[in-house]
Amino acid sequence: MDGVETLQQEALGAVSAAFTTAELRELELKYLGKSGLISGLMREIGKLSAEERPAFGQKVNAARATVQAALDERVEALKGGELDARFGAERIDITLPSRPWRSGLQHILDQTTDRVKACLCGLGFEFVEGPELEQFAYNFDALNYPPDHPAMDEQDTFYVDAPGLSDKSDTSDLSDKGPPDRLVLRTQCTAIQGRTFEKRQPPLRIFTVGRTFRNEAVDRTHGHTFHQVDAFMVDEGVSMAHLKGTLGAFVRAMFGDEVKVRFRPDFFPFVEPGVDYAISSPKLFGGRWVELGGAGLVHPKILQNYGIDSEKYTGFAFGLGLERIPMMATGVDDLRHFLENDLRFLEQFR
């Protein structure tokens, strides 16, 4: 009986001296747990006589109840203070400015693509897409390329061995320069012409924007991967005047209302006559003429290859490198910056 009283007083003293609820949890395990000092006294009951056992059991249970009540009371007393301390430590000053959200930004080439689409769609052109892994026939044969054209050289084109992936379209009547199912990474978005003429008849106003690939030395003005805008229109009575008017509206939308367009004769296999076109603006390049791309009237042979009456229908086509638009508008002089994912460069165009 004296041992029970001693442990009870010891436990009550420890509870009074505790300053945290964590300490109280440890004391509860120490004295009242399954193997605690007070609970463990019940294992001694077998050593007592039958007459002593009831009184001893009652004494132990009373001690447990007393200590448990003291623990509960002390927990309630400490809990409020601990919560206040925790809330104080975690207090937020709502008068401080918030942390800025980290947000993404649209890539400058995507911004330029959106502007191109808005302009050409506004002029009545329809946006279409073609595959980047293209058939040899659409990339070259359908566009009237002669066998000795420099672009046919293995050094300029990425040829791809992919048996079973080729579309077995019947292009044998176009040329015998290469197997119609041979695959290349498209060197120009103009490949969309053959795919369109194969399925649709004039009148047509079509444009596309996409990635192209050429096996060229990578330097400030060239890269193995770049983007192109390519557009064409086929209808009755289409002339160079329509081409010049369309290009004028396009470059003014891209560079400002002061821009002028100049044509000079040039050769491209898929147009006749062919021209390169340059632009001039007092706000850009010191007013000098700068070449932007190539254009011309769609070659009659291309129309005839797809069963389009070249006596009734004529058309124009033009293309340019998409990167040239932001390069010329902002003074960027290195094509490689656009694909290097350097945030210091890209965030200038937020």
Side-chain angles (χ1 to χ4, degrees), residues 228-250:
Q228 275 193 342
V229 181
D230 201 275
F232 66 92
M233 174 180 176
V234 179
D235 204 342
E236 296 184 44
V238 175
S239 68
M240 292 291 284
H242 296 96
L243 171 61
K244 189 169 185 179
T246 302
L247 274 174
F250 176 75

Side-chain angles (χ1 to χ4, degrees), residues 164-294:
L165 288 181
S166 305
D167 177 9
K168 304 296 183 178
S169 301
D170 182 10
T171 52
S172 57
D173 61 324
L174 297 176
S175 171
D176 59 0
K177 293 193 288 289
D181 60 346
R182 192 172 189 187
L183 296 174
V184 299
L185 294 180
R186 67 180 177 193
T187 61
Q188 56 200 350
C189 284
T190 316
I192 199 68
Q193 281 191 19
R195 289 185 172 273
T196 303
F197 292 147
E198 198 172 60
K199 299 174 183 177
R200 300 168 63 175
Q201 290 292 305
L204 296 167
R205 292 188 189 184
I206 302 294
F207 81 99
T208 189
V209 184
R211 286 195 305 180
T212 53
F213 311 86
R214 293 184 188 174
N215 192 10
E216 296 181 319
V218 177
D219 56 33
R220 292 176 63 192
T221 57
H222 296 87
H224 53 69
T225 302
F226 55 101
H227 297 75
Q228 275 193 342
V229 181
D230 201 275
F232 66 92
M233 174 180 176
V234 179
D235 204 342
E236 296 184 44
V238 175
S239 68
M240 292 291 284
H242 296 96
L243 171 61
K244 189 169 185 179
T246 302
L247 274 174
F250 176 75
V251 298
R252 285 191 294 273
M254 296 299 110
F255 300 101
D257 293 337
E258 303 83 3
V259 175
K260 296 179 180 179
V261 183
R262 182 186 70 184
F263 285 173
R264 293 190 301 181
D266 203 343
F267 171 76
F268 303 98
F270 37 87
V271 289
E272 180 58 41
V275 296
D276 72 51
Y277 59 96
I279 62 172
S280 174
S281 170
K283 293 183 178 180
L284 300 171
F285 334 116
R288 61 189 174 88
W289 291 98
V290 179
E291 182 182 342
L292 190 59

Side-chain angles (χ1 to χ4, degrees), residues 11 28 51 55 69 121 147 153 180-181 197-198 208 210 228 272 298 305-306 325 347:
E28 185 174 14
E51 294 80 11
C121 288
D153 193 309
D181 60 346
F197 292 147
E198 198 172 60
T208 189
Q228 275 193 342
E272 180 58 41
V298 177
N305 283 337
Y306 288 96
I325 297 173
E347 287 193 343

Side-chain angles (χ1 to χ4, degrees), residues 140 143-146 149 188 267-272 299 302:
F140 293 119
L143 299 177
N144 199 38
Y145 273 84
H149 193 278
Q188 56 200 350
F267 171 76
F268 303 98
F270 37 87
V271 289
E272 180 58 41
H299 201 293
I302 295 177

